[in-house]
Amino acid sequence: MEKIVVTGYGIKAPGALDVQQFKGILESGICTHEVVKGIGPHGTDLVCGIVQGDFKQINGFNYKNYPRTARLAVAAAEDAMLMSGIHKNKEGLRVSVIMGTSVGGLSEIEQYAVLSNNSQYERFPLSSAGAGNPHSLSSAVASHIGANGLVFTLS
């Protein structure tokens, strides 16, 4: 069996946009969830953990057409690459991306479902056809970091 080395990690979480912020939240026992008014079924309030930031620009690249979950994954991967010291397309280095998720861009799927129910199919952006594909996250990360090894998603 070949050796596998995890050399870096990144975190984008409610109240924490980097590893140090996340560590501080865990050590302090802070609850980062909040009550969001009117977003639940029939206008009810929900308790949510919200990750701040839109991550449409990451390290000079435009990701505005990606599902938000993919943008979060790419931003976290950018942090992991920085921590690891691994540079894109380094010759002879094989980098793989293995992620676990149950769905791709759920909020985008919900938006497009509303458009479809209102017979506004022409407003559905073609670039978002794969938003619900769980593999879109690991594919986006692999493309961003220049992975040349295995790329797959456990769902």
Side-chain angles (χ1 to χ4, degrees):
M1 176 182 248
E2 294 183 39
K3 292 181 181 179
I4 297 174
V5 179
V6 176
T7 56
Y9 54 92
I11 295 173
K12 303 297 179 226
L17 295 179
D18 62 35
V19 172
Q20 292 305 319
Q21 289 176 350
F22 188 68
K23 181 180 179 220
I25 287 168
L26 292 177
E27 289 175 343
S28 302
I30 298 171
C31 176
T32 59
H33 287 60
E34 56 191 88
V35 176
V36 180
K37 303 265 183 212
I39 68 167
H42 310 292
T44 58
D45 301 342
L46 291 179
V47 176
C48 302
I50 299 174
V51 179
Q52 300 299 321
D54 64 13
F55 303 99
K56 291 182 179 177
Q57 290 283 325
I58 301 168
N59 198 21
F61 293 96
N62 183 354
Y63 289 100
K64 70 179 183 178
N65 292 327
Y66 280 54
R68 186 162 191 271
T69 51
R71 295 192 314 259
L72 289 167
V74 169
E78 182 72 23
D79 292 349
M81 292 293 286
L82 184 63
M83 179 187 281
S84 72
I86 295 173
H87 302 288
K88 289 183 184 181
N89 303 322
K90 186 174 179 182
E91 193 161 327
L93 188 63
R94 205 169 112 175
V95 177
S96 294
V97 175
I98 304 167
M99 296 181 69
T101 185
S102 58
V103 71
L106 188 58
S107 62
E108 286 81 4
I109 293 168
E110 290 172 349
Q111 284 177 312
Y112 304 142
V114 169
L115 290 176
S116 298
N117 286 338
N118 292 328
S119 300
Q120 297 178 13
Y121 301 109
E122 67 277 358
R123 293 187 54 205
F124 186 90
L126 183 59
S127 61
S128 300
N133 176 357
H135 192 64
S136 66
L137 278 73
S138 54
S139 296
V141 167
S143 175
H144 179 77
I145 68 171
N148 54 2
L150 295 174
V151 177
F152 59 93
T153 305
L154 307 170
S155 62

